[in-house]
Amino acid sequence: MTRPPSARRVPAPHFRLERLEDRDVPATFTWDGGGTTDNWSDGANWAGNVAPTGSAVTLDDLVFPAGAARLANTNDIAGGVFTSIQFTGSGYTLSGGAGVTLTLGTAAVAGFVTADAGTTGNTVALAVALGAAAGADQV
C-alpha cells in the first residue's frame, strides 16, 4: 500500500513513568477479639488478622466495635503511637502496662479517644499520653 504524498507520518507518542514519593497512609485496625489471647499484638484479634504496629510513622487508628469477642483486652505494644481510639461498641476494658500516645493525624477523630452515641461502659485503664505538638488542640 502506498501513501499519498500529502499524508505525513505521525510519530507514536512516548510515555514515561515517574516514581512518586513514598507515602504512608494511616490504617484503621478494627478489633474482633478472635485470637487465642487478649493481646493487641495478636493479629488474630483484629479484622484482617493483622495487628497494629503502634509505629509513629503509620499512625494507625484503633476501633473497638459492637459484637466483638474479648471485650477485655490488653495493650502489649510498648511505646505505641496511634492517631485515635474509637469505641463504636459498649463494655470494653482496655488495659495493659504498655501505655499509648495519641497524636494528630488525618482522621476526623485524630488525637482523641471517642465513643459513639449510645455506647456505654467503656473503660480505658492504661496510660494515655497526648502527643500533639505544642499549641495544638488535644484534650
Side-chain angles (χ1 to χ4, degrees):
M1 176 166 121
T2 60
R3 240 183 243 144
S6 62
R8 287 187 314 136
R9 186 169 206 178
V10 177
H14 294 280
F15 295 100
R16 178 176 72 134
L17 295 177
E18 183 177 316
R19 182 177 163 86
L20 296 175
E21 73 275 2
D22 290 332
R23 295 181 185 179
D24 290 315
V25 177
T28 298
F29 290 86
T30 302
W31 179 264
D32 64 19
T36 58
T37 71
D38 65 353
N39 293 329
W40 287 11
S41 65
D42 182 351
N45 281 322
W46 300 92
N49 295 323
V50 176
T53 65
S55 167
V57 174
T58 57
L59 297 177
D60 303 319
D61 298 302
L62 305 179
V63 177
F64 295 90
R70 298 183 199 279
L71 298 179
N73 54 68
T74 303
N75 172 22
D76 63 335
I77 300 173
V81 178
F82 302 98
T83 303
S84 68
I85 296 174
Q86 183 177 13
F87 294 103
T88 59
S90 297
Y92 280 96
T93 298
L94 309 184
S95 63
V100 297
T101 298
L102 295 178
T103 190
L104 299 178
T106 58
V109 293
F112 302 101
V113 175
T114 61
D116 284 7
T119 61
T120 60
N122 293 309
T123 302
V124 178
L126 51 91
V128 177
L130 303 179
D137 289 333
Q138 189 177 13
V139 293

